[in-house]
Amino acid sequence: KETSSDYYEVSIEGKNYFFFCSMQPYEEYVLCQYTDVTQRGIKQQKIGKRNQELTEIQKIALIGDWYYTSKDDKLRYKGQTSISTGHDQLNIPLERYRRIVLKDDQDNFIRWQKKVLRGDLSETFDFRILLQGKIFYLRAKALAREKNRDGSIMVEGYVQNVTDVYQKRNDISLLTHAINNAAEDIFAADEEGNLIFVNRLFQQHHNISGKDDI
């Protein structure tokens, strides 16, 4: 006594088929109409699989998608950067987002924003944000810009959490600084006795210029 419309998956001789079936009461009968949508179903399965693979890649690379519209001056974001608490999504006015950008990076952030809105999407921009007492390093890139009929501009791109990269770089810089300022000669050599690294004091004691190929 009720009309039903739904998709069905049917397995026949080891093959899966997809149908859209509409059933409705017709006097003492049931009128059925179905459409073979197997190719569409297969494509949807493939798309679903690709989307799942993309999500896993985003998790590993800590990447998310963002888009900005000048009409409401809002920044919208979703992805896998492992920064937001709870669900990794964001929907806030850009002015409010600027407040969590570190002060030293705010001027460059505004400059990059204006550059993107003018249509220059060539630059990859690295900046820092302060969230819940912790500093995160982010890398943003605009991929597309579109001007709407009302004159507003929509920009979309990706953002990546590169905090670990910067932390390791800072650790290496700190270690190099400590080695170069050590009170002893420090050097490294390969098995054949060729020098491959020397610190600053070693250079001074052995009259090696910083430009020399050791």
Side-chain angles (χ1 to χ4, degrees):
K1 303 298 182 181
E2 295 179 5
T3 298
S4 171
S5 296
D6 210 340
Y7 289 92
Y8 296 91
E9 182 179 357
V10 181
S11 180
I12 303 174
E13 296 180 353
K15 290 186 178 181
N16 290 344
Y17 298 88
F18 298 87
F19 296 93
F20 177 77
C21 187
S22 175
M23 295 178 285
Q24 54 187 344
Y26 182 71
E27 297 179 353
E28 69 270 26
Y29 302 99
V30 176
L31 180 63
C32 300
Q33 181 181 13
Y34 73 88
T35 306
D36 185 351
V37 292
T38 302
Q39 292 303 317
R40 188 195 310 171
I42 292 173
K43 288 180 180 178
Q44 286 177 340
Q45 281 189 337
K46 288 182 178 179
I47 291 171
K49 185 179 179 182
R50 293 291 179 266
N51 285 338
Q52 186 177 2
E53 290 173 352
L54 180 60
T55 300
E56 292 303 316
I57 291 171
Q58 286 184 327
K59 285 181 181 178
I60 295 170
L62 302 178
I63 289 177
D65 309 307
W66 62 266
Y67 72 94
Y68 164 80
T69 52
S70 63
K71 187 174 183 178
D72 57 8
D73 197 36
K74 275 193 174 183
L75 181 68
R76 294 168 177 85
Y77 160 83
K78 61 181 178 63
Q80 307 290 338
T81 58
S82 297
I83 292 178
S84 302
T85 55
H87 51 280
D88 215 357
Q89 293 186 357
L90 202 64
N91 185 354
I92 62 171
L94 186 62
E95 182 61 35
R96 200 168 122 207
Y97 183 79
R98 285 199 201 104
R99 295 176 196 165
I100 67 173
V101 176
L102 254 60
K103 288 185 178 180
D104 290 345
D105 294 343
Q106 285 182 1
D107 288 343
N108 287 332
F109 184 86
I110 295 171
R111 178 192 60 79
W112 176 72
Q113 176 201 350
K114 291 179 178 178
K115 194 175 180 181
V116 168
L117 289 176
R118 288 196 302 266
D120 186 350
L121 312 181
S122 60
E123 184 180 351
T124 300
F125 179 62
D126 289 12
F127 63 103
R128 296 163 295 173
I129 62 171
L130 179 62
L131 195 62
Q132 296 179 347
K134 187 176 180 180
I135 294 176
F136 294 94
Y137 291 79
L138 300 181
R139 176 166 295 156
K141 181 78 167 70
L143 300 175
R145 173 189 178 274
E146 184 177 340
K147 191 170 185 179
N148 300 317
R149 291 183 178 180
D150 60 3
S152 62
I153 295 172
M154 192 274 287
V155 183
E156 59 181 324
Y158 77 84
V159 62
Q160 183 178 18
N161 180 358
V162 291
T163 304
D164 285 347
V165 175
Y166 272 92
Q167 284 179 343
K168 288 175 182 177
R169 187 183 298 174
N170 291 340
D171 290 344
I172 291 172
S173 298
L174 185 63
L175 181 61
T176 303
H177 178 79
I179 291 173
N180 275 328
N181 289 276
E184 300 87 12
D185 288 13
I186 298 176
F187 69 92
D190 61 21
E191 292 179 352
E192 297 178 355
N194 298 309
L195 288 172
I196 57 176
F197 172 81
V198 297
N199 71 341
R200 189 175 298 142
L201 197 61
F202 189 102
Q203 287 176 319
Q204 293 173 1
H205 288 167
H206 297 274
N207 296 319
I208 298 174
S209 168
K211 297 179 180 178
D212 289 340
D213 182 3
I214 62 170

